[in-house]
């Protein structure tokens, strides 16, 4: 039986599990820089959520309040997704991660997009 778990990262978990990007090598300067930046952004409310299936990461989403986004956007009251990655399409991984983001935004009273 497949077990899927949503793991909300924080500074402590980041040190143990690490951030994830297929292009990153844990000893590289860019990987270390990304983790340093994540630590700083956690203090501003950044959310970094991993989707884990049978103890292996199969996706992640990184989002924050638009006011604190590293992107130049003017969207006060909204959530800004910085990155979404899944290991395979058609398995519902992206849907689960996006739903987590939407649920979090609703719980925090964020505005809804009218796309």
């Amino acid at each position: 039986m497949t077990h899927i778990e949503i793991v909300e990262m924080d500074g402590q978990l980041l040190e143990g599990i690490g951030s994830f990007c297929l292009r990153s090598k844990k000893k590289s300067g860019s990987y270390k820089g990304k983790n340093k930046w994540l630590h700083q952004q956690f203090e501003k409310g950044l959310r970094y959520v991993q989707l884990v299936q049978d103890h292996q990461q199969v996706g992640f989403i990184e989002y924050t309040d638009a006011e604190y986004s590293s992107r130049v956007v003017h969207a006060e009251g909204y959530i800004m997704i910085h990155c979404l990655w899944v290991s395979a399409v058609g398995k519902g991984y992206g849907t689960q991660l996006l739903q987590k983001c939407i649920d979090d935004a609703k719980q925090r009273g964020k505005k809804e997009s009218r796309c």
Side-chain angles (χ1 to χ4, degrees):
M1 180 99 182
T2 300
H3 175 72
I4 295 182
E5 180 181 9
I6 291 180
V7 179
E8 294 186 50
M9 302 294 286
D10 59 17
Q12 188 175 8
L13 277 174
L14 184 65
E15 289 302 318
I17 297 173
S19 62
F20 184 82
C21 180
L22 281 177
R23 294 184 176 103
S24 296
K25 294 183 177 34
K26 288 192 174 192
K27 295 185 184 207
S28 72
S30 59
Y31 181 87
K32 290 175 184 176
K34 171 71 175 199
N35 280 358
K36 181 180 178 183
W37 179 83
L38 284 170
H39 277 286
Q40 294 166 346
Q41 297 307 305
F42 284 145
E43 295 173 13
K44 297 178 182 177
L46 178 108
R47 308 296 168 107
Y48 189 96
V49 179
Q50 292 185 351
L51 189 65
V52 178
Q53 179 178 347
D54 298 328
H55 307 288
Q56 182 177 10
Q57 183 176 312
V58 294
F60 75 90
I61 189 168
E62 175 188 304
Y63 58 94
T64 193
D65 295 343
E67 297 89 327
Y68 298 110
S69 175
S70 61
R71 300 339 187 247
V72 179
V73 294
H74 301 283
E76 188 174 331
Y78 288 90
I79 293 287
M80 176 71 186
I81 297 172
H82 286 169
C83 191
L84 171 66
W85 175 87
V86 295
S87 63
V89 297
K91 296 188 179 232
Y93 299 151
T95 299
Q96 289 181 61
L97 290 166
L98 287 170
Q99 191 60 56
K100 169 68 177 141
C101 179
I102 290 166
D103 292 346
D104 187 31
K106 286 180 181 178
Q107 181 181 7
R108 295 171 50 216
K110 296 298 177 180
K111 296 176 183 176
E112 292 185 36
S113 177
R114 305 257 192 266
C115 297

